[in-house]
Amino acid sequence: MAAGVATWLPFARAAAVGWLPLAQQPLPPAPGVKASRGDEVLVVNVSGRRFETWKNTLDRYPDTLLGSSEKEFFYDADSGEYFFDRDPDMFRHVLNFYRTGRLHCPRQECIQAFDEELAFYGLVPELVGDCCLEEYRDRKKENAERLAEDEEAEQAGDGPALPAGSSLRQRLWRAFENPHTSTAALVFYYVTGFFIAVSVIANVVETIPCRGSARRSPRELPCGERFPVAFFCMDTACVLIFTGEYLLRLFAAPSRCRFLRSVMSLIDVVAILPYYIGLFVPKNEDVSGAFVTLRVFRVFRIFKFSRHSQGLRILGYTLKSCASELGFLLFSLTMAIIIFATVMFYAEKGTNKTNFTSIPAAFWYTIVTMTTLGYGDMVPSTIAGKIFGSICSLSGVLVIALPVPVIVSNFSRIYHQNQRADKRRAQQKVRLARIRLAKSGTTNAFLQYKQNRGREESSSGEEQVLCVRNRSAFEQQHHHLLHCLEKTTCHEFTDELTFSEALGAVSLGGRTSRSTSVSSQPVGPGSLLSSCCPRRAKRRAIRLANSTASVSHGSMQELDTLAGLRQSPAPQSRSSLNAKPHDSLDLNCDSRDFVAAIISIPTPPANTPDESQPSSPGGRASSTLRNSSLGTPCLLSETVKISSL
Amino acid sequence: DVAWWYYQYQRDKIEDELEMTMVCHRPEGLEQLEAQTNFTKRELQVLYRGFKNECPSGVVNEETFKQIYAQFFPHGDASTYAHYLFNAFDTTQTGSVKFEDFVTALSILLRGTVHEKLRWTFNLYDINKDGYINKEEMIDIVKAIYDMMGKYTYPVLREDTPRQHVDVFFQKMDKNKDGIVTLDEFLESCQEDDNIMRSLQLFQNVM
């Protein structure tokens, strides 16, 4: 709760006096507050610097070190002060948090040290105030990134020493992934790199027309056909090495399926496959065309370099992350191309011997013009064509020149941002969850308290002290206040889960309940737990009760207990279902001023609800099992008198 | 907090003479307050420190009231009830509650006689301060109280629950069945009810 709220508790509780005449049930007694000594000044000695503050100030946040009884561990009886052996400069901020409710982040301190102090004093970093939150997060992120980089570099460098019993597979895989680990891996790394280069160069060179020493043939042959054997040998050698590497990687991979699906392995396969296909395909004219096409794929060997170059990998990743921008560029270009091609085609239609034979043919002209290439193989001849052509080239500059710098700047921005965005998103989820948790902490505290109380009742008085969670005086009074509100309105606080369950049950029961207005109204909530099958109702009751529900007798099932006390014998009844089950027989020993009257759910045949008489403070208790949906009531009612006043 | 003050100023432009946001109010002396209320000096000190912490200007306005009350009832919406409470605290209808008003009301509620408490409660229910409580006022109050329960209640809150509650209440309080409850009827009915009498003692030890 915010600062100072604890001091307003008396006001809130006093204002509850306004509910009193409306309360239809007697309100619970106030918690016995231990003899409070009134406010006093505490001395907190942090490494020699003394801080003095009111006890109430520290009590504002009972779930921190200073606000809870944990500080008693640091109490020095001789000097009468609390001694902490921590940084006094940081403590100033912590103490100010108690005073003002806002946690500020010191500018000149290391963020790590600040975090440690917060952790020590039990403060969640989410409490940092809005004024300092941005800076705190940035600094923390910077720090974390730097640490992560250091870690990565360390890992990439030597890496942790392998366990002695590691298999050949693991060693091989590590050698492949981190070539710097051993000399053999390094050698292998460089050898494969060399052969990739050789293979790529061979592919390039074999198409160059080269002159033989003896100018025998009139036409120039490409080198590949002049020295087929040499090139074939080189190709074979490279492919052998690549195949060997691929098989070794496949063998060493910890997860073969994942390896098979990874991009790098696909590139490897595509690089070596054409060779094998070429080997097994007979050299006849029909297929050799296709075979030649396959050779194109050999160029993919160049992508194998991406294992050797970090930059290539980053580029590929950035392209992937920029896909939307690129897609937009492509889309807008396509639109413009289609528009201009159409216009140019129709503008040049009349001319004879024109190049613009169709719209797709005009595409080429549009692209060349818009990208300001201007080959000149297609030019418009009509005036209209020239006008539109110039418009096309002008707009080309705009359409292309505008998004491209944006994309380029996007590259660097998106790249860095992407790295951070994922981390930030993960942190945000956690932060929101923690804030929600802290907020619901107070609301859940009350529900928890009620559950605990339910459990208490089944145990004897002495055990109560042990059972009850240690709550501060403030919490006790606050819960008492909420309890009074419940009693005033005859409704209870629940959490979302039970509420939605109840809602579902109401709609189920409402549809099948009888129509008499008198009995259906109070029955509405009453039929919440009625269902076709007693076992299901029992399960639901147990779930709702959230603690051990007792089954009293064999055939009987205690659904739940209802507490209600009406002031006057009005025809309408008020019944509220308390989800606190307790053994009906044990309540007599309850010393608290707690009424647990149980009102029976009216049965369909009976029009007048069978209720407790207003004169008796206790109520007649009956647990009934109502079966409204089937219409055949399997009623079992029993009245157990419970008086616990 | 400058933005907050400005917002308040905009809202209260109608009552120009009461630029309470700019005014800093200091309460009367401690001795006087001690004489006027049923609190001891130490209790007044504690109360004032909390008050001053939350409202450095020395007066509470309705917004702060609502915020404070909302923190105690996080499940539901406490603003309507806080509004009625504020009107009950603000006896002079100035739109702001000074520390003296605050402490006087608390003194009645926590340390006052049964009669005084019941009279204060009657004043709370009487929204238009005409000396009578009619059904509409009661329904408003009861609705406000039910609003504080929030959505997740068990059993599920229905539309006519407040109305039923008010009917029960009126049946008890309205002796001559004329549709309104006067102060005397209220006092009489409450004093007849043991539960209410007993509950009135509940908040004695609040300090």
Side-chain angles (χ1 to χ4, degrees):
Chain A
M1 290 209 174
V5 164
T7 48
W8 289 86
L9 184 63
F11 145 68
R13 296 194 65 216
V17 168
W19 307 336
L20 294 183
L22 286 170
Q24 304 192 327
Q25 305 161 15
L27 300 184
V33 182
K34 304 173 283 269
S36 51
R37 296 165 299 189
D39 215 357
E40 50 171 350
V41 174
L42 296 182
V43 180
V44 179
N45 184 349
V46 182
S47 303
R49 205 187 299 178
R50 276 188 177 70
F51 296 87
E52 300 183 10
T53 178
W54 294 109
K55 186 170 183 300
N56 277 356
T57 311
L58 294 180
D59 284 343
R60 280 185 200 146
Y61 298 96
D63 53 355
T64 58
L65 189 157
L66 290 171
S68 66
S69 56
E70 196 184 341
K71 62 178 184 283
E72 302 302 324
F73 285 100
F74 297 93
Y75 185 68
D76 181 10
D78 302 324
S79 48
E81 55 191 26
Y82 295 88
F83 182 75
F84 293 96
D85 193 12
R86 310 283 301 188
D87 188 355
D89 292 324
M90 298 283 205
F91 185 73
R92 192 170 64 85
H93 299 280
V94 170
L95 195 53
N96 274 340
F97 167 66
Y98 286 90
R99 292 180 181 138
T100 62
R102 274 184 290 278
L103 184 61
H104 295 283
C105 168
R107 299 272 150 103
Q108 66 276 19
E109 304 281 353
C110 170
I111 208 81
Q112 188 103 349
F114 184 64
D115 264 349
E116 282 168 11
E117 293 297 308
L118 287 187
F120 178 80
Y121 291 106
L123 299 175
V124 203
E126 278 73 24
L127 290 171
V128 175
D130 288 333
C131 42
C132 298
L133 186 61
E134 203 58 51
E135 194 197 311
Y136 171 77
R137 267 220 298 242
D138 285 341
R139 282 169 68 187
K140 213 165 162 196
K141 219 180 313 176
E142 238 179 283
N143 224 12
E145 275 176 3
R146 210 175 311 134
L147 283 176
E149 273 172 23
D150 288 343
E151 224 179 73
E152 249 183 58
E154 194 187 283
Q155 241 182 33
D158 281 340
L162 273 183
S166 64
S167 66
L168 176 69
R169 252 182 91 176
Q170 285 175 337
R171 281 208 304 257
L172 215 53
W173 183 249
R174 246 187 94 237
F176 279 135
E177 294 299 300
N178 307 319
H180 306 285
T181 43
S182 67
T183 7
L186 209 56
V187 163
F188 182 75
Y189 175 76
Y190 282 127
V191 161
T192 42
F194 173 71
F195 271 100
I196 295 176
V198 160
S199 160
V200 169
I201 290 175
N203 283 344
V204 166
V205 165
E206 87 183 347
T207 59
I208 298 177
C210 53
R211 294 209 194 106
S213 45
R215 299 175 186 225
R216 259 180 253 139
S217 44
R219 63 188 169 92
E220 287 178 347
L221 280 178
C223 288
E225 287 175 25
R226 261 190 90 85
F227 308 102
V229 179
F231 279 104
F232 183 72
C233 289
M234 225 176 327
D235 208 17
T236 313
C238 294
V239 167
L240 276 178
I241 299 221
F242 296 153
T243 319
E245 181 201 355
Y246 181 70
L247 288 174
L248 276 178
R249 274 184 206 265
L250 189 60
F251 165 68
S255 153
R256 299 229 170 96
C257 306
R258 203 155 51 96
F259 176 73
L260 279 176
R261 282 181 301 181
S262 73
V263 177
M264 290 312 302
S265 83
L266 281 176
I267 291 179
D268 287 341
V269 167
V270 168
I272 60 182
L273 219 47
Y275 177 81
Y276 288 110
I277 294 181
L279 266 188
F280 296 120
V281 161
K283 272 208 167 49
N284 56 356
E285 286 306 313
D286 307 331
V287 197
S288 67
F291 169 66
V292 163
T293 326
L294 274 181
R295 285 182 148 204
V296 165
F297 286 99
R298 288 191 302 179
V299 81
F300 276 86
R301 287 182 196 164
I302 208 170
F303 282 115
K304 286 166 70 73
F305 266 129
S306 57
R307 271 217 188 91
H308 299 253
S309 156
Q310 174 86 349
L312 265 182
R313 273 195 296 221
I314 291 177
L315 183 63
Y317 172 74
T318 357
L319 277 177
K320 196 165 56 145
S321 59
C322 254
S324 63
E325 265 80 7
L326 286 174
F328 168 69
L329 174 62
L330 229 60
F331 177 67
S332 60
L333 260 183
T334 314
M335 259 184 24
I337 288 173
I338 293 180
I339 291 175
F340 278 109
T342 315
V343 168
M344 289 308 295
F345 171 72
Y346 282 113
E348 290 286 307
K349 200 156 188 254
T351 332
N352 48 355
K353 283 215 272 187
T354 184
N355 283 332
F356 296 82
T357 49
S358 64
I359 293 187
F363 279 171
W364 173 244
Y365 168 76
T366 319
I367 292 178
V368 166
T369 314
M370 282 183 88
T371 52
T372 70
L373 281 174
Y375 289 135
D377 54 348
M378 285 166 83
V379 277
S381 24
T382 60
I383 294 184
K386 287 187 179 158
I387 290 176
F388 286 118
S390 41
I391 295 179
C392 175
S393 67
L394 283 175
S395 68
V397 169
L398 281 176
V399 168
I400 291 185
L402 277 184
V404 166
V406 171
I407 290 183
V408 165
S409 71
N410 263 8
F411 275 2
S412 53
R413 187 176 58 83
I414 287 177
Y415 174 63
H416 290 294
Q417 206 180 42
N418 233 7
Q419 300 279 68
R420 286 192 206 157
D422 292 330
K423 285 188 202 168
R424 206 187 295 140
R425 239 177 282 134
Q427 277 175 10
Q428 185 75 2
K429 266 190 228 162
V430 172
R431 179 171 188 253
L432 286 177
R434 279 177 117 179
I435 287 182
R436 230 179 298 128
L437 196 68
K439 266 200 198 147
S440 68
T442 47
T443 59
N444 282 345
F446 182 58
L447 296 174
Q448 185 72 27
Y449 154 69
K450 287 203 320 187
Q451 290 168 20
N452 285 343
R453 253 214 338 219
R455 236 174 282 137
E456 265 167 50
E457 267 122 38
S458 43
S459 55
S460 68
E462 290 83 39
E463 293 174 21
Q464 269 182 22
V465 179
L466 299 171
C467 286
V468 170
R469 194 169 60 98
N470 187 23
R471 292 177 300 150
S472 65
F474 170 69
E475 265 191 0
Q476 277 185 5
Q477 296 188 1
H478 185 217
H479 289 167
H480 174 247
L481 189 63
L482 292 175
H483 200 195
C484 286
L485 183 58
E486 282 187 338
K487 285 279 182 282
T488 310
T489 55
C490 304
H491 285 69
E492 271 198 5
F493 291 109
T494 60
D495 52 9
E496 245 177 274
L497 188 60
T498 38
F499 175 73
S500 39
E501 277 183 17
L503 210 52
V506 162
S507 57
L508 175 67
R511 260 182 274 129
T512 58
S513 65
R514 294 299 157 89
S515 58
T516 56
S517 62
V518 171
S519 56
S520 70
Q521 270 172 356
V523 155
S527 68
L528 268 177
L529 294 177
S530 59
S531 62
C532 314
C533 133
R535 240 180 271 133
R536 215 188 308 152
K538 177 184 171 208
R539 243 184 276 135
R540 210 178 288 174
I542 289 183
R543 249 191 307 157
L544 265 175
N546 209 359
S547 63
T548 61
S550 56
V551 179
S552 40
H553 306 291
S555 55
M556 206 95 52
Q557 282 166 6
E558 204 167 286
L559 250 187
D560 45 18
T561 62
L562 322 170
L565 193 71
R566 296 184 309 106
Q567 309 292 347
S568 63
Q572 300 159 337
S573 72
R574 302 205 52 82
S575 60
S576 78
L577 303 168
N578 257 352
K580 291 192 277 273
H582 37 257
D583 241 341
S584 50
L585 309 169
D586 287 350
L587 266 185
N588 283 328
C589 58
D590 197 324
S591 54
R592 295 249 216 112
D593 189 10
F594 185 120
V595 174
I598 302 183
I599 289 185
S600 71
I601 307 171
T603 72
N607 261 348
T608 59
D610 167 29
E611 290 163 323
S612 61
Q613 303 308 310
S615 53
S616 65
R620 206 166 303 140
S622 72
S623 44
T624 69
L625 185 62
R626 207 177 97 104
N627 189 341
S628 66
S629 52
L630 280 189
T632 60
C634 37
L635 275 180
L636 310 156
S637 69
E638 184 198 55
T639 57
V640 175
K641 183 134 194 188
I642 294 183
S643 62
S644 55
L645 269 182
Chain B
D1 251 346
V2 176
W4 185 73
W5 290 125
Y6 185 66
Y7 165 70
Q8 287 301 318
Y9 175 60
Q10 295 286 65
R11 271 193 37 180
D12 300 323
K13 252 200 215 162
I14 307 161
E15 316 168 282
D16 263 335
E17 74 268 14
L18 288 177
E19 288 182 41
M20 59 195 153
T21 56
M22 310 300 174
V23 165
C24 189
H25 183 89
R26 297 205 163 74
E28 325 164 1
L30 199 48
E31 285 82 12
Q32 272 173 297
L33 275 180
E34 194 191 357
Q36 287 170 4
T37 65
N38 304 331
F39 289 121
T40 66
K41 266 207 188 125
R42 283 195 79 90
E43 291 168 336
L44 284 172
Q45 281 177 340
V46 170
L47 278 174
Y48 187 68
R49 283 204 292 270
F51 187 85
K52 180 91 179 166
N53 218 0
E54 201 68 18
C55 319
S57 64
V59 292
V60 195
N61 53 9
E62 202 172 320
E63 272 310 307
T64 324
F65 225 69
K66 288 186 180 171
Q67 276 168 21
I68 291 168
Y69 224 64
Q71 282 171 345
F72 286 104
F73 301 96
H75 304 87
D77 175 27
S79 54
T80 330
Y81 189 67
H83 168 76
Y84 295 134
L85 263 186
F86 185 80
N87 286 341
F89 269 70
D90 186 14
T91 42
T92 47
Q93 302 299 315
T94 53
S96 66
V97 169
K98 302 192 291 294
F99 182 64
E100 292 95 334
D101 305 329
F102 180 69
V103 151
T104 318
L106 272 190
S107 160
I108 294 177
L109 288 172
L110 301 179
R111 303 282 164 95
T113 64
V114 164
H115 207 82
E116 288 175 346
K117 287 185 192 174
L118 288 176
R119 185 123 45 96
W120 191 91
T121 313
F122 183 84
N123 193 31
L124 170 71
Y125 292 162
D126 184 13
I127 297 180
N128 54 4
K129 316 285 179 228
D130 63 352
Y132 303 106
I133 304 178
N134 54 5
K135 256 204 179 165
E136 279 67 35
E137 289 174 335
M138 265 327 284
I139 290 183
D140 285 340
I141 295 269
V142 170
K143 264 208 204 119
I145 293 182
Y146 273 90
D147 281 344
M148 282 199 288
M149 289 293 294
K151 216 169 52 139
Y152 301 122
T153 57
Y154 183 63
V156 179
L157 275 178
R158 294 190 318 273
E159 279 301 309
D160 53 353
T161 313
R163 192 167 281 276
Q164 284 178 4
H165 200 139
V166 170
D167 288 335
V168 168
F169 177 79
F170 255 77
Q171 232 135 29
K172 193 170 56 153
M173 299 285 162
D174 193 7
K175 296 284 180 204
N176 54 1
K177 308 290 174 207
D178 60 352
I180 52 175
V181 178
T182 63
L183 180 59
D184 300 317
E185 286 177 341
F186 185 73
L187 290 174
E188 207 186 311
S189 318
C190 287
Q191 276 164 338
E192 282 170 3
D193 190 335
D194 285 331
N195 278 329
I196 296 181
M197 288 295 114
R198 215 188 347 251
S199 315
L200 279 175
Q201 313 303 320
L202 267 184
F203 298 100
Q204 289 291 79
N205 63 344
V206 166
M207 281 306 297

